[in-house]
């Protein structure tokens, strides 16, 4: 057949699956069949069912579910936990099952040639009866095991696909794969639904499960490429995290907000930018939580709403620490300006954390968000997953015009860089380093503003102290070099003083 | 006669395969059951709800409803031995059909 060059562009049908339509550039090809392929446990049935559920909930489009594997009773029950009331939809004739699941205990004999005409007739009947726009078939492998002759099944499924196209129904067919990275599907099913293929993966990476979705092809229309992480949430179903589909149209403002510490504000050239993300990196005990606390208090004192996600310390610890620095978190929460959320990183996967955090940000509508510490979340994810998480969270925060502060813990006490730093330093607008400085048998603390996008800042490494009123930033370390690399080397004080005298540093004398 | 056979044959339209299945079934029944059977032919294109009820996928499908156990035989019934087996009839066609169990 020759292609009509003026063929109208293929329309997209939004699935309504959260995040998916973004990576699909609008949805799946309307009036076509799309193959959704994945290994066992890759959430194929959820995708198939959610495609219909969202159609009913969001677009008023009715759907037919053809099940080759699980009986409808199982599907009704399993999907209830995702918040979909299939029995009600069935009674309202918005959802219909075509039950093609194997009948247990019934003997079937084969005596001659056959086709699957009855299946096709039932599908057509169900589509007409409820006026379905959408249809899901789950899963193809199961029908191949019911009928010995796969050539017949393939031919008949092709007839079904053609019939659906004729009826203008947009359909999902799920198929099995044996490997995460291998053939598209078993039984050669891609031969008759080769135009549109989506792959679901459930990969074990560094002992952590990672679910991803990839659109392999949409014939004649566009989509985002590559794998995107997704998660399954109770009450919601599948939620895709559309990383690269996130638009980079964050507004950046010149509005400065206080860090909560006047001395630090001065070092940063007048405070942090409002729509910026700041990374505070340092070893354990260098003062990251203190900086977070001051950042939150600084906001609350100006009547801003502040949200703190703590992944390292318990509520009690955090509140006690804050009190020790003269900040009353309790009162702030009572005033409704502060919300502290403490969570163990291990309670959920990173995708779930991300979605929960986004939800909380949406609900609380804060002006400031702090995460203490981001590194704690590294533990529950792969490096790649972690990077995706940070990208997604940063862009989300920036979109909301919120000032963000993340902390990262460096693995060694004296310096060096952390995984968190390596992976997110390019994503953040400003970086502040906190370091231990060993001087003459004494541990002191140093701070420097390493990067401040779009602003002048103090380049000194300054000493700071902590007391019951918080952080106090003092003079620069002048007689030490190599603090950042974790190998401080002392220079004879006399030498430094002499040099200082020579240049007569006025600023120094003031502070 | 209590052990009468009740057979339902599900087909899709008037196709050569449908015709073949009906002919094969009538021949086998006449040779083995005489008149002791009732045959219903159901066209799923006309009555899809019946196919839905019985959860038929393939056509032709023969369901032996009586006597128990219920059995399904899929295909155009050209394999006489398989059909006899499915109907619980002796596999040596006697031609008289007088003795059933």
């Amino acid at each position: 057949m020759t292609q009509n060059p003026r063929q109208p562009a293929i329309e997209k049908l939004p699935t309504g699956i959260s995040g998916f339509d973004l990576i699909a550039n609008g949805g799946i090809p309307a009036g076509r069949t799309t193959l959704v392929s994945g290994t066992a446990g890759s959430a194929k049935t959820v995708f198939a069912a959610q495609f219909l559920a969202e159609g009913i909930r969001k677009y008023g489009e009715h759907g037919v579910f053809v099940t080759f594997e699980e009986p409808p009773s199982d599907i009704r029950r399993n999907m209830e936990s995702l918040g979909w009331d299939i029995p009600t939809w069935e009674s309202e004739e918005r959802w219909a099952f075509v039950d093609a699941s194997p009948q247990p205990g019934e003997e079937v004999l084969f005596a001659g040639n056959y086709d699957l005409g009855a299946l096709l007739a039932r599908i057509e009947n169900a589509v007409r009866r409820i006026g379905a726009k959408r249809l899901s078939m789950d899963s193809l492998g199961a029908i191949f095991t019911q009928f010995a002759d796969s050539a017949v099944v393939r031919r008949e499924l092709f007839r079904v696909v053609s019939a659906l196209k004729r009826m203008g129904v947009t359909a999902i067919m799920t198929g099995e794969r044996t490997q995460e990275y291998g053939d598209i599907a078993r039984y050669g099913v891609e031969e008759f639904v080769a135009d549109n293929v989506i792959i679901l993966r459930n990969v074990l990476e560094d002992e952590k499960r990672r679910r991803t979705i990839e659109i392999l092809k949409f014939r004649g229309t566009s989509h985002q490429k590559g794998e995107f992480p997704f998660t399954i949430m109770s009450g919601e179903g599948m939620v895709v995290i559309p990383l690269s589909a996130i638009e980079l149209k964050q507004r950046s403002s010149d509005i400065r907000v206080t860090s909560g510490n006047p001395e630090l504000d001065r070092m940063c050239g007048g405070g942090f930018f409002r729509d910026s993300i700041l990374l505070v990196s340092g070893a354990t005990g260098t003062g990251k939580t203190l900086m977070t606390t001051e950042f939150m208090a600084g906001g609350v004192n100006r009547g801003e709403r502040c949200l703190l996600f703590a992944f390292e310390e318990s509520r009690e610890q955090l509140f006690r620490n804050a009190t020790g620095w003269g900040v009353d978190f309790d009162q702030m929460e009572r005033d409704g300006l502060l919300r502290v959320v403490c969570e163990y990183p291990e309670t959920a996967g990173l995708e779930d954390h991300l979605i929960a955090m986004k939800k909380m940000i949406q609900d609380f509508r804060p002006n400031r968000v702090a995460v203490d510490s981001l590194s704690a979340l590294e533990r529950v994810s792969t490096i790649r997953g972690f990077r995706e998480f940070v990208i997604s969270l940063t862009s989300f925060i920036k979109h909301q015009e919120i000032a963000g502060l993340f902390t990262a813990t460096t693995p060694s006490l004296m310096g060096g860089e952390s995984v968190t730093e390596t992976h997110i330093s390019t994503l953040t607008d400003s970086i502040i380093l906190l370091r231990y400085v060993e001087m003459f048998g004494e541990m002191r603390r140093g701070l420097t503003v390493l990067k401040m996008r779009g602003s002048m800042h103090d380049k000194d490494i300054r000493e700071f102290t902590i007391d019951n009123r918080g952080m106090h930033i003092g003079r620069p370390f002048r007689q030490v070099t190599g603090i950042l690399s974790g190998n401080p080397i002392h220079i004879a004080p006399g030498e430094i003083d002499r040099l200082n005298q020579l240049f007569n540093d006025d600023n120094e004398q003031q502070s | 006669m209590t052990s009468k056979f009740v057979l339902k044959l599900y087909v899709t339209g008037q196709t050569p395969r449908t015709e073949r299945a009906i002919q094969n079934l009538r021949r086998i029944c006449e040779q083995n059951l005489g008149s002791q059977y009732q045959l219903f032919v159901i066209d799923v294109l006309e009555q899809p709800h019946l196919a839905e009820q019985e959860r038929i996928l393939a056509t032709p499908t023969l369901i032996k409803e009586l006597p128990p156990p219920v059995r399904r035989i899929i295909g155009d019934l050209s394999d006489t031995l398989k059909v006899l087996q499915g109907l619980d009839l002796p596999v040596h066609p006697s031609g008289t059909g007088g003795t059933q169990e």
Side-chain angles (χ1 to χ4, degrees), chain A residues 464-475:
Chain A
F464 70 94
T465 54
I466 299 172
D467 67 11
N468 58 6
R469 286 182 298 116
M471 175 185 272
H472 302 282
I473 300 169
R475 298 164 62 94

Side-chain angles (χ1 to χ4, degrees), chain A residues 38-50:
Chain A
T39 52
S42 59
K44 297 186 293 291
T45 306
V46 173
F47 190 98
Q50 192 169 359

